[in-house]
Structure formats: structure tokens, C-alpha cells
Amino acid sequence: RVAALHCMASSVVAPSRGVSPVFTRARARQCSRATTSPSCSAITIDVSSHASDVVGAAACRALSFSQNVPSDRSAFAKRAHVAMKIENETTSLTNKLCGAEVGYENVKVVLIVARAPASSAQYDIREFDPASLSVRDGAETSLIVGSLDINIGDRLPAEELAGTRSLGRRAYLSNVGVAPAARRTGVASRMIERASIIARDEYAVHTLYVHVQHDNDAAIALYERSDFIREAQETAGAESSLGRPARVLLRRDLRIH
């Protein structure tokens, strides 16, 4: 799998710049929550296109959504399902970052990962897939415990609901996930905050959007704490015709004057 990622660049960390009052308030809330969990301090949030981080992000996503596997499956079947999800997500994410994914020709994708030192005792490595380990030349081996994508473009491919109230450039968060062992430690909030700053400072994004399943109250509350507000919601009719739960579209205005 790693050999197929030859188009990936080395890991890059985007610098943070000036922060608006809205960002300051969000960061204060984020830090307040993080102080309740000492383990959060060892986690760093990076922008990366490194091959090993891509595989680690794919593993994190497979673990994050592994609860979708039917409960009556055997342990072997569940492991096989996770392995297949990792392989498929690695291929898809690689193509997105390289600009080769069908439907993403006009979308710039940026990967953000949350990493913890593999040597840290804060996590039981047995709760992760081996692919979650990221090995980079000249860097300490790390464990990818969270990831998300920033999709810079007018709309998010495969989503019918698009933002319409932005006064400038738009971007969408997607695949926001934290490994079960790292949840409730402020990782998701830190990734969202970092994504907001990168989108604003590095890509001149005016408005950041995210789609959430309409009945996912915990996720909606997470984004609202990060200064997102509701812009639109799919109707029950759309839910029926699309054959999936309706989405809520939330937005965060990044250019505050």
C-alpha cells in the first residue's frame, strides 16, 4: 500500500498566524476542555501528506466507524472488514491528495492528523490497528488517533446540500474521526480549530462548512461549540429519495472584520 503513495510529499506543518477574536474564544473553550484530560497534551495536530500518515489516517477512520459492522459478525469478519476499509480509504485519500480522485478535480484536499508518541503509555496499542502507526524518516514513530479532510471548493462531491451564504471562498470538513480510545479528550475540537486556521490563513477560505447527520446531536453540539451555526437541512422527502438520513449543513464564518 505504501508503495502506491509515491506522489505524496513529505510531512508539512502549516504555520499559524494572527487569530481573530472568534478563534480566541474557541481556543479558550478548547483548552478548558483539554485540561480535564492530561493525555491530550501529548497529542499534536499536523497537516500532512506523508504516505505513512495517510495509511494511519485511513486506519483511524476504519476504527472510528467500525461500529457500523453488524454485531453478529465474528471477530475475524470484523478484522477483515476493518482491513478492507483501511485499504479502500488509503487509495481514496491518496487519490484526493494527488488530485486524481474522480469528482474531486476542482477540489483541493488537505489532510489533518492528530498524532501521539507511540512510546507514550497513554494508550493501549492493542486498541488500535497496526496500520495506525506512522513511521517517518527522522521523526519519532507516532500513533494516528484522529484525522479530518479540508475540501476547498464550492461544494463537497457526493453531497447534495451545498453552502450558499458565503461571501467568499468555501471549504468543507469531511471524514472527521477520532479513534475510540482517544475520544472525549478534546482531539476533535483541536483538529477543527486547526483546520479553521489553516483554511483561513493558508487558503483564504471565507466560510467553512460541515455536513452532519440530522440526528447526530453529539456531533452537532461539537460543531456549535466551535462557532458553527446551522445554515440548511435536507427535508424528509430528500431523505426518502436519497435512501439515507437527512443532513444538516453547518457553517463557520472565518473572515471576521
Side-chain angles (χ1 to χ4, degrees), residues 44-67:
T44 58
I45 313 297
D46 298 336
V47 175
S48 181
S49 56
H50 191 283
S52 193
D53 285 345
V54 171
V55 177
C60 178
R61 293 171 189 187
L63 292 172
S64 298
F65 303 111
S66 60
Q67 66 269 21

Side-chain angles (χ1 to χ4, degrees), residues 68-91:
N68 296 331
V69 181
S71 59
D72 60 350
R73 295 280 185 90
S74 67
F76 175 81
K78 290 178 180 179
R79 287 195 299 271
H81 175 84
V82 169
M84 180 182 67
K85 292 287 290 183
I86 293 173
E87 183 172 357
N88 291 343
E89 180 60 24
T90 296
T91 300

Side-chain angles (χ1 to χ4, degrees), residues 25-37 185-186:
R25 292 194 298 271
R27 176 61 59 84
R29 290 195 298 271
Q30 163 196 310
C31 292
S32 176
R33 290 192 297 273
T35 56
T36 64
S37 175
T185 61

Side-chain angles (χ1 to χ4, degrees), residues 154-155 160-172 206-212 220 223-224 227-234 247-253:
D154 289 339
R155 63 184 306 120
E160 287 75 13
L161 204 57
T164 60
R165 299 181 185 177
S166 175
L167 299 177
R169 198 174 195 188
R170 284 170 269 178
Y172 296 79
H206 186 284
T207 309
L208 188 61
Y209 288 93
V210 65
H211 296 84
V212 183
I220 292 173
Y223 291 112
E224 289 179 338
D227 295 314
F228 283 78
I229 61 174
R230 300 188 189 213
E231 177 171 306
Q233 179 171 339
E234 292 174 332
R247 306 279 200 261
V248 174
L249 182 66
L250 299 101
R251 78 171 189 271
R252 177 176 176 175
D253 295 324

Side-chain angles (χ1 to χ4, degrees), residues 1 52-60 86 128-134 143-144:
R1 287 181 299 190
S52 193
D53 285 345
V54 171
V55 177
C60 178
I86 293 173
F128 293 83
D129 189 275
S132 301
L133 286 172
S134 174
L143 191 64
I144 303 301

